[in-house]
Amino acid sequence: MFSQVNRLQVDGGTLEYGVAGKPDAPALLLLHGIRNTKLLFAPILPSLAERYRVIAVDIRGHGNSVSHGSFLFEQIVTDLIQLLEKEQLEQVTIVAASFSAVPAQMLAIREPKRVASLVLLDGGYYSLGEVPGFNREKVVERLATTGFSSVEEAERQFAERYGTRVMPAGWMRDELLKREEGSYGYRLPREAFSAYFQEYSVHSQPELFRQLTCPVLLLLADDSLLSKDEQQFHRQAVANYQRIVKQAKVKMIPDAQHLLMVTHPQETVDEIHDYLSK
């Protein structure tokens, strides 16, 4: 899938990332969702690599990247700046899924000359703590104690949940860790789950959004799949985001679930291509 898999020394350890595509093509930096890895983009990476130089990162705490130390959005931003410097990327478009859309916007503010544009995949336009029914402690406990009998079973459950089998066999291997009793749990440590969800719950939306100057594509999953309360919340959050980030373009992919690059890979690629070609 990647022509190269590289490692970068960062605070507390190393950051692993994969590289694909043409070296002289416009650069895309792909940031995955929580508990996932760079392989979350497997369904869309080959198509993106046909036009772009693609760099997909294991965010700290995930996959083969550093698994201890600071789990803060500011630390993610610092890690990514080091990556941009190592890869000598003068300009890059960031494609960020779910929770990583917040540090992606923070990076765009820190490095306005380097970040040409943002593609936010169903995240970053609201604070998680305001979502109806969300309870951070309960969610952290559930995810930190989730167990699977095997990697294959975890992948089967994922495919069943998202109604798709587009992911390559073994893709969750770097996402999981075998425990002493034999079950497989998420590699992301409990303290990282807690810290990242806390960061996503309390980040200051207006201050962050007002500082954005680059073009933004907010690509959304289909909110008709949500409960009535969640649908109302997300529609209001989108309206607030557009009111502040006036340069943002918002598109929704019909029938797509939250991980829309998995449930609707071709539509996601088409929207990214269309946006970046204009």
Side-chain angles (χ1 to χ4, degrees):
M1 184 173 302
F2 298 107
S3 57
Q4 300 175 50
V5 175
N6 299 333
R7 287 196 156 199
L8 167 69
Q9 192 67 33
V10 294
D11 182 44
T14 58
L15 202 71
E16 184 175 288
Y17 60 97
V19 180
K22 300 176 181 178
D24 57 347
L28 298 183
L29 178 63
L30 308 186
L31 306 179
H32 59 76
I34 199 161
R35 82 172 180 262
N36 302 128
T37 71
K38 56 186 175 295
L39 293 182
L40 180 67
F41 293 100
I44 67 173
L45 196 144
S47 293
L48 293 178
E50 292 177 1
R51 298 194 188 188
Y52 308 103
R53 178 186 180 192
V54 182
I55 299 173
V57 185
D58 283 345
I59 295 169
R60 63 169 48 228
H62 300 79
N64 293 314
S65 289
V66 55
S67 60
H68 56 275
S70 173
F71 298 109
L72 300 174
F73 285 172
E74 283 290 355
Q75 185 62 58
I76 293 176
V77 173
T78 299
D79 292 344
L80 296 176
I81 290 174
Q82 289 182 245
L83 173 58
L84 295 178
E85 291 175 351
K86 180 183 178 182
E87 290 295 320
Q88 299 180 331
L89 295 174
E90 295 182 1
Q91 277 213 325
V92 64
T93 289
I94 304 176
V95 179
S98 192
F99 94 111
S100 67
V102 177
Q105 292 173 94
M106 295 167 63
L107 177 57
I109 293 166
R110 285 268 298 272
E111 296 284 335
K113 293 182 179 180
R114 272 183 166 164
V115 179
S117 57
L118 292 168
V119 178
L120 309 181
L121 303 181
D122 206 44
Y125 60 94
Y126 59 89
S127 288
L128 190 61
E130 298 175 356
V131 176
F134 177 77
N135 183 297
R136 184 172 64 91
E137 291 76 14
K138 289 182 178 180
V139 172
V140 169
E141 178 64 21
R142 175 175 59 83
L143 293 173
T145 58
T146 293
F148 305 98
S149 60
S150 64
V151 173
E152 292 75 18
E153 174 60 18
E155 292 177 354
R156 186 196 66 76
Q157 290 188 28
F158 182 94
E160 187 176 84
R161 176 182 178 184
Y162 288 100
T164 178
R165 297 192 179 277
V166 299
M167 303 302 287
W171 77 276
M172 289 186 74
R173 195 167 302 280
D174 289 342
E175 189 173 312
L176 303 173
L177 193 65
K178 191 171 185 178
R179 297 167 175 155
E180 290 184 3
E181 84 282 2
S183 69
Y184 288 79
Y186 292 118
R187 184 179 296 271
L188 189 68
R190 177 188 289 267
E191 59 269 27
F193 272 122
S194 183
Y196 285 148
F197 279 131
Q198 174 68 9
E199 290 270 273
Y200 200 8
S201 296
V202 303
H203 78 90
S204 183
Q205 302 168 68
E207 287 82 355
L208 176 68
F209 301 158
R210 287 192 189 103
Q211 296 179 73
L212 284 172
T213 57
C214 69
V216 179
L217 170 63
L218 177 57
L219 197 55
L220 301 173
D222 191 337
D223 65 12
S224 69
L225 304 176
L226 303 174
S227 69
K228 185 175 180 180
D229 286 346
E230 289 178 315
Q231 184 184 84
Q232 183 177 3
F233 167 79
H234 283 284
R235 289 185 178 181
Q236 184 60 53
V238 170
N240 289 339
Y241 189 81
Q242 289 182 287
R243 178 175 54 81
I244 299 173
V245 188
K246 299 188 184 301
Q247 73 273 25
K249 179 180 180 182
V250 178
K251 296 290 293 290
M252 180 181 292
I253 297 180
D255 300 320
Q257 296 184 52
H258 179 55
L259 297 182
L260 42 85
M261 78 292 286
V262 173
T263 66
H264 288 69
Q266 189 58 58
E267 293 86 345
T268 301
V269 167
D270 289 345
E271 291 292 351
I272 292 173
H273 283 337
D274 182 64
Y275 181 69
L276 295 182
S277 65
K278 293 179 179 178

